[in-house]
Amino acid sequence: MTGPIYAIGDVHGQLEELHRVLALIEADGGADAQVVFVGDYVDRGPDSRGVVQFLMDAQVAGRNWIMLKGNHDRYLTRFLDQSIVHDPATRADLSWFNPRLGGDKTMASYGVLAEEETPLGEIHAAAIQAVPQSHRDFLNERPLMHITDDLVFVHAGIRPKVPLEDQIEDDLIWIRQPFLDYRKAHDRLVVHGHTALDHPEHAGNRVNLDGGAGYFRPLHAAVFEGTECWLLSANGRIPLRP
């Protein structure tokens, strides 16, 4: 069996929470522990810019971290690259700047006022000046999936019965149904976030680590040894089972 691998749920601009769970990981697995982040570093929380910069600095420092792309990360890069504030996976009347999605908080962390009634061109021009190109590049370059012998890490999930090599980006960062209701085993245990819960859950064929940090609930980290899973706490490992 390979060594333990750690995973962190959706961060959503919660830098202090990120530091807290990384300390739990280091206490359990040491400074060189392999960590997979399931994406959504930005939106809703107070310090999206700080989270992105912290992860970039960690990458430069050579940390053994794999940082996947989430749908909220793509919201930011699409807006910067193409002035797009809507996604077909979301209601047509809900723009990225709506507080429910939280793009307004991300822009605020870069010093840009982004209210839905403000002309889009004004927000975009200010954002282009405010968001460093290095942040854009970092988020654009995030992989969509990480695969081990026993596990597949993605942001939202996978389309059931479709081979991993044939999965598409929109599903990997956006899917809910039919993935969440699928009860049969996948080829590997799927570790994901995206669908916010009050607490992480093990559904048998998948583990959802999004405990709602984007709604100011605690961020969560888990450790996997094979397909066995534990949540990390200040008191040690807590088994997470179906």
Side-chain angles (χ1 to χ4, degrees):
M1 181 183 295
T2 59
I5 185 168
Y6 297 80
I8 293 176
D10 304 37
V11 179
H12 281 300
Q14 302 288 359
L15 184 57
E16 290 186 7
E17 278 291 285
L18 179 56
H19 286 306
R20 181 184 64 80
V21 299
L22 284 169
L24 296 177
I25 290 174
E26 185 163 343
D28 188 88
D32 296 326
Q34 184 176 35
V35 183
V36 180
F37 295 73
V38 300
D40 275 6
Y41 311 111
V42 303
D43 292 351
R44 298 192 182 118
D47 198 2
S48 292
R49 176 176 185 149
V51 169
V52 174
Q53 186 63 55
F54 174 76
L55 296 176
M56 290 173 55
D57 292 344
Q59 183 182 57
V60 171
R63 298 301 297 266
N64 189 17
W65 296 356
I66 297 155
M67 295 165 273
L68 304 180
K69 180 186 291 186
N71 61 305
H72 284 266
D73 310 315
R74 193 176 76 174
Y75 262 124
L76 173 54
T77 57
R78 275 191 168 181
F79 173 63
L80 294 169
D81 294 343
Q82 304 173 53
S83 295
I84 293 174
V85 292
H86 295 91
D87 193 286
T90 304
R91 286 187 355 221
D93 63 336
L94 202 60
S95 89
W96 179 53
F97 301 135
N98 187 290
R100 290 184 58 183
L101 295 179
D104 59 330
K105 302 298 190 301
T106 295
M107 288 290 93
S109 76
Y110 287 97
V112 176
L113 180 64
E115 298 177 339
E116 289 188 282
E117 59 270 21
T118 304
L120 185 60
E122 291 183 15
I123 302 173
H124 186 260
I128 290 295
Q129 294 297 316
V131 181
Q133 184 65 45
S134 59
H135 286 212
R136 298 170 65 180
D137 293 342
F138 173 78
L139 293 174
N140 270 321
E141 292 165 1
R142 294 305 87 219
L144 296 169
M145 187 185 306
H146 178 67
I147 302 170
T148 71
D149 289 344
D150 301 299
L151 309 168
V152 53
F153 297 85
V154 293
H155 175 62
I158 62 174
R159 187 159 293 276
K161 302 180 182 179
V162 174
L164 293 180
E165 62 269 21
D166 294 329
Q167 298 283 333
I168 63 171
E169 178 172 311
D170 279 350
D171 282 341
L172 296 174
I173 68 173
W174 268 113
I175 197 169
R176 287 195 170 91
Q177 307 304 344
F179 170 67
L180 297 177
D181 284 341
Y182 189 77
R183 300 304 180 194
K184 296 181 180 179
H186 303 287
D187 289 342
R188 294 171 174 84
L189 180 66
V190 181
V191 183
H192 68 99
H194 182 58
T195 299
L197 307 172
D198 290 333
H199 190 270
E201 72 168 9
H202 195 315
N205 59 357
R206 60 180 180 82
V207 173
N208 183 356
L209 293 180
D210 186 357
Y215 301 100
F216 297 89
R217 296 192 287 273
L219 183 62
H220 290 277
V223 56
F224 294 85
E225 295 184 5
T227 57
E228 292 294 306
C229 176
W230 298 261
L231 294 178
L232 298 182
S233 77
N235 297 316
R237 296 185 178 191
I238 300 172
L240 185 63
R241 300 190 178 101

